[in-house]
Amino acid sequence: MAIVIHFVCQGEWVTINAPFSPIEVPMKLPADLIRLLPKTDVHLHLDGSLRPETLIDLARQHRVQLPSDTVDGLFELVFKEKYASLTEYLHGFQYTVAVLQNPESLERVAYELMEDNILEGVRYIEVRFAPHLHVHPGLGFQEVLQAVDRGLARAAAHYNSRSEGVRSGREPRFAYGIIACAMRKFEPVYSEFYRRFFELHSYSPPKQVFQLAAVELARAVVDIRDRCGVPIVGFDLAGDEFGYPAVDFKDAYDFVHRNFMKKTVHAGEAYGPESIFQAITECHADRIGHGSFLFSDDMIRSPEIADRRDYVNRLSQYIADRRITIEVCLSSNLQTNPQIHNLAEHSFGQMRASNLSCTLCTDNRLVSRTTMCRELGLALEHFPITAKELKDLLVYGFKRSFYPGPYEEKRRYVRSVINYYEELQRQHLPETLGGGEV
């Protein structure tokens, strides 16, 4: 049985007769079809994903001095295409956090972030941020989280009610969850909350203060989820890995784990496989943020690990077997990791070869100057992804999401995504998405 396959190769349509399944053909999709495909973004930082025009507007309102008051100027001076270091990459957050210090600004930015994702076909997002960066005497934990929730809910409701495809049930609805981030380290100048927290624990070593703040956050988000109904679906640990291992925050993770909150951890972004191992074994991680150095056995530091290659193999096999999903952020990693010279060198290729569950994410839409459509396009451009792998990659994002509803509701939602994807296969470029003529 021969199959006629049509696909894009180096910018030109190619037709071949082949005795094998079209799912073995590497993909390259038109931009319009990439936009149509149902996507997720489950590693998406609120304070790294403002519209630049909104940042300028809010800075004027709140009298925050920016290096430039034009979009082009901010792109030249702050939010660059390439960064010299992780420190330079993080520089812009001092401006974005500074304009997000009242409920109105938080709600506006959340609404716009949901809207931006909806307009590029992202059906489900999990927005993460560190509430401690926005808490001060006039704005408490609950108000911060409720403001973000209001913005996301308003945007989702607006588009779900106006989308004929969503209303008719032919398309999956737009949905979201919120992930709260604890910080591995912080300084008093980071926020008014942190300044006061340091004052209250002035006799404690800094590392212990960081741990106590994480526990405080864990208790707050579980309470606000349960008492107020805010869809806080996960707990995260962000910040500098080196010198601040995940195990230090075991108490916070144990608390959210006992209270049935899902867990993700920034790990393997700037440290090696041992950081990922700790995230899984000590923090009960359901997903791993970045995981770029999962296969870097040369970064293992423990003298107790005699066979480093075997350690990495066992760890990757455990992750694969337990379906612990890796939140892959291609552009962000290329910008912050000097060891990655081009995307073809990214460990995403090894992750796929090891059959790991992966999902593509943006990390920071503004700071990395990216979108989900761009991230998916980059993956298709630099890695030999087949039609079946593409479908699996996109569906994993939904299946391994921290969806805020009951399990049966999540199953129905994922089924609606798969049905919609398969309808796109039939109606829009079936040759490209894996159909064909027998």
Side-chain angles (χ1 to χ4, degrees), residues 81 96 98 111 126 144 172 217 227 232 258 262 266 268 280 293-294 309 339-340 346 354 379 396:
E81 291 186 356
T96 60
Y111 180 96
E126 288 174 359
V144 167
L217 177 64
R227 182 169 49 82
I232 305 167
R258 290 195 303 270
K262 297 181 178 69
H266 281 69
I280 295 168
F293 290 119
L294 170 60
R309 176 47 50 188
Q339 297 186 35
I340 303 175
H346 193 284
S354 299
Y396 279 154

Side-chain angles (χ1 to χ4, degrees), residues 43-99:
H43 191 122
L44 174 60
H45 289 270
L46 179 72
D47 49 354
S49 301
L50 286 71
R51 293 174 181 171
E53 299 85 356
T54 297
L55 173 59
I56 293 169
D57 184 36
L58 292 177
R60 287 174 181 152
Q61 292 180 32
H62 301 298
R63 299 180 181 179
V64 174
Q65 185 67 42
L66 299 177
S68 173
D69 60 0
T70 69
V71 172
D72 288 343
L74 289 176
F75 282 170
E76 178 184 356
L77 299 172
V78 184
F79 306 112
K80 305 175 182 181
E81 291 186 356
K82 295 182 179 180
Y83 296 90
S85 65
L86 179 59
T87 300
E88 185 181 31
Y89 181 87
L90 297 175
H91 176 71
F93 284 90
Q94 66 180 300
Y95 305 114
T96 60
V97 171
V99 303

Side-chain angles (χ1 to χ4, degrees), residues 180-194:
C181 296
M183 300 296 291
R184 281 182 157 99
K185 66 166 291 190
F186 50 82
E187 303 289 342
V189 296
Y190 283 14
S191 73
E192 179 62 17
F193 175 88
Y194 286 140

Side-chain angles (χ1 to χ4, degrees), residues 12-25:
E12 297 182 359
W13 282 99
V14 177
T15 301
I16 61 174
N17 290 281
F20 51 80
S21 167
I23 64 173
E24 297 176 6
V25 178

Side-chain angles (χ1 to χ4, degrees), residues 220-282:
V221 296
V222 167
D223 174 70
I224 294 167
R225 178 199 64 181
D226 295 345
R227 182 169 49 82
C228 304
V230 176
I232 305 167
V233 297
F235 192 80
D236 182 29
L237 180 63
D240 191 359
E241 278 182 273
F242 193 79
Y244 304 93
V247 67
D248 287 355
F249 300 88
K250 178 177 171 56
D251 288 348
Y253 272 90
D254 281 347
F255 182 84
V256 296
H257 186 64
R258 290 195 303 270
N259 284 275
F260 305 103
M261 183 172 285
K262 297 181 178 69
K263 288 79 55 187
T264 182
V265 181
H266 281 69
E269 181 184 16
Y271 205 72
E274 294 156 289
S275 178
I276 298 172
F277 179 80
Q278 278 193 9
I280 295 168
T281 58
E282 302 293 345

Side-chain angles (χ1 to χ4, degrees), residues 186-393:
F186 50 82
E187 303 289 342
V189 296
Y190 283 14
S191 73
E192 179 62 17
F193 175 88
Y194 286 140
R195 185 188 69 78
R196 290 173 173 240
F197 204 77
F198 263 112
E199 287 182 354
L200 289 171
H201 301 88
S202 57
Y203 293 100
S204 299
K207 277 196 172 185
Q208 189 172 2
V209 176
F210 305 151
Q211 296 162 21
L212 290 170
V215 172
E216 180 75 4
L217 177 64
R219 294 182 179 279
V221 296
V222 167
D223 174 70
I224 294 167
R225 178 199 64 181
D226 295 345
R227 182 169 49 82
C228 304
V230 176
I232 305 167
V233 297
F235 192 80
D236 182 29
L237 180 63
D240 191 359
E241 278 182 273
F242 193 79
Y244 304 93
V247 67
D248 287 355
F249 300 88
K250 178 177 171 56
D251 288 348
Y253 272 90
D254 281 347
F255 182 84
V256 296
H257 186 64
R258 290 195 303 270
N259 284 275
F260 305 103
M261 183 172 285
K262 297 181 178 69
K263 288 79 55 187
T264 182
V265 181
H266 281 69
E269 181 184 16
Y271 205 72
E274 294 156 289
S275 178
I276 298 172
F277 179 80
Q278 278 193 9
I280 295 168
T281 58
E282 302 293 345
C283 298
H284 321 285
D286 302 291
R287 297 196 316 239
I288 296 295
H290 298 285
S292 309
F293 290 119
L294 170 60
F295 301 98
S296 301
D297 56 351
D298 58 320
M299 297 183 70
I300 294 175
R301 290 174 168 80
S302 173
E304 297 179 2
I305 301 174
D307 190 335
R308 297 180 178 184
R309 176 47 50 188
D310 180 66
Y311 179 89
V312 167
N313 288 338
R314 287 172 177 266
L315 177 59
S316 62
Q317 286 302 306
Y318 182 85
I319 292 171
D321 180 70
R322 305 312 302 163
R323 307 316 288 159
I324 298 167
T325 296
I326 311 293
E327 304 158 357
V328 177
C329 308
L330 295 174
S331 293
S332 171
N333 295 156
L334 183 63
Q335 291 170 323
T336 60
N337 186 346
Q339 297 186 35
I340 303 175
H341 301 98
N342 61 74
L343 283 180
E345 300 175 357
H346 193 284
S347 57
F348 178 54
Q350 289 176 275
M351 294 175 188
R352 292 175 50 254
S354 299
N355 198 31
L356 300 188
S357 170
C358 300
T359 183
L360 295 173
C361 310
T362 58
D363 199 9
N364 300 287
R365 293 170 66 97
L366 171 61
V367 182
S368 286
R369 292 171 62 173
T370 194
T371 64
M372 268 311 305
C373 284
R374 181 174 183 271
E375 294 302 299
L376 182 54
L378 288 172
L380 293 171
E381 178 183 351
H382 291 89
F383 301 93
I385 297 172
T386 66
K388 181 182 183 302
E389 290 170 337
L390 173 63
K391 182 179 179 181
D392 289 344
L393 181 64

Side-chain angles (χ1 to χ4, degrees), residues 111 115 118-119 154-163 166 174:
Y111 180 96
E115 183 176 57
I118 288 171
L119 293 176
R154 196 158 52 84
H158 177 87
Y159 283 91
N160 284 332
S161 65
R162 286 162 176 76
S163 168
V166 171
F174 301 101

